[in-house]
Amino acid sequence: MAGSSEKAPDSGRGVVLLDNWPGYDLDLFTYPQHYYGDLECVFIPHGIIVDRIERLAKDIMKDIGCHDILVLCVLKGGYKFCADLVEHLKNISRNSDRFVSMKVDFIRLKSYKNDRSMGELQIIGDEDLSTLTGKNVLIVEDVVGTGRTMKALLSSIEKYKPNMVKIASLLVKRTARSDSFRPDYAGFEIPDVFVVGYALDYNEYFRDLNHICVINEHGKEKYRI
């Protein structure tokens, strides 16, 4: 990315955006007018996100395409990433020698209020994780930050003895609070900035933004609860 990315050493790290990555000027892109004044920059343009997800799908099918897969989408922020990833996985499967059966299930988690982690995981609703027993599970998440949320979810899932669990996260944040947890597949490794768009939200706003952008202080205050 314009001199501020490195070649990723493995799928678990992804495309690395350095701490000094300034993003792109908002005037170079189109985005919803109702968010004018609320954003600092376009951090990752939509087209680059889509291309990276296509490559992730190829990596996933190469590793686990010999198994039928149950995709567990973490709502709400993961729904767009999951939909695009599954579409690519299906396309690869249709054009391969062996058709891979894929089912999609959903789980909703909540761990943020405003731009702060609440420090504990909330599983919202009555999801029956027993359906994961004996399955090859691919968890699809929007962001891995400290890793605590994903570790808590894995702990809940492992009680039901799935055959295999892999994790794909669109973003991994470099943060001092991290416990070094890494997903099996990562789209982008980014600095510890609060990003929105591509279904990532700030108090339910910005999900309709196609690009991944950095929210500014005005935007945080405007939509604070």
Side-chain angles (χ1 to χ4, degrees), residues 6-200:
E6 298 173 345
K7 184 178 178 181
D10 55 56
S11 298
R13 195 172 189 200
V15 177
V16 180
L17 303 186
L18 302 183
D19 290 343
N20 62 351
W21 172 240
Y24 296 95
D25 193 300
L26 291 163
D27 291 338
L28 297 173
F29 298 88
T30 58
Y31 61 99
Q33 188 172 356
H34 50 269
Y35 294 138
Y36 283 15
D38 301 330
L39 303 169
E40 283 188 13
C41 66
V42 172
F43 210 57
I44 310 174
H46 180 256
I48 294 176
I49 298 169
V50 172
D51 284 356
R52 177 65 185 137
I53 292 173
E54 182 177 8
R55 178 52 194 261
L56 282 180
K58 290 180 180 179
D59 291 342
I60 290 168
M61 288 299 285
K62 181 180 178 181
D63 289 346
I64 61 176
C66 57
H67 302 280
D68 292 341
I69 302 170
L70 193 155
V71 178
L72 183 63
C73 175
V74 179
L75 298 174
K76 296 182 183 177
Y79 80 83
K80 180 64 174 167
F81 174 41
C82 184
D84 288 348
L85 180 63
V86 167
E87 190 62 30
H88 283 302
L89 291 171
K90 286 164 55 181
N91 287 338
I92 295 170
S93 176
R94 278 195 291 263
N95 293 295
S96 68
D97 295 334
R98 180 185 182 277
F99 180 78
V100 176
S101 172
M102 261 175 289
K103 296 181 180 179
V104 182
D105 208 342
F106 302 89
I107 188 169
R108 186 177 173 194
L109 309 178
K110 188 174 180 64
S111 60
Y112 271 84
K113 182 176 181 180
N114 296 318
D115 60 344
R116 301 292 182 182
S117 172
M118 295 186 296
E120 61 181 30
L121 174 69
Q122 295 180 6
I123 299 179
I124 301 172
D126 299 318
E127 287 78 6
D128 182 9
L129 297 180
S130 66
T131 59
L132 306 182
T133 299
K135 301 293 195 306
N136 302 302
V137 181
L138 176 66
I139 301 173
V140 178
E141 171 70 295
D142 55 353
V143 183
V144 170
T146 64
R148 288 191 288 271
T149 296
M150 189 52 60
K151 278 191 169 182
L153 176 59
L154 285 173
S155 179
S156 298
I157 288 174
E158 286 169 358
K159 297 174 185 176
Y160 297 95
K161 295 181 170 55
N163 181 57
M164 176 179 65
V165 179
K166 297 286 187 179
I167 301 165
S169 183
L170 179 61
L171 304 177
V172 176
K173 284 189 180 182
R174 292 189 301 274
T175 169
R177 303 182 304 278
S178 173
D179 57 7
S180 300
F181 177 85
R182 286 279 176 179
D184 300 285
Y185 311 96
F188 302 86
E189 180 183 292
I190 66 172
D192 190 12
V193 293
F194 198 90
V195 291
V196 295
Y198 197 72
L200 282 70

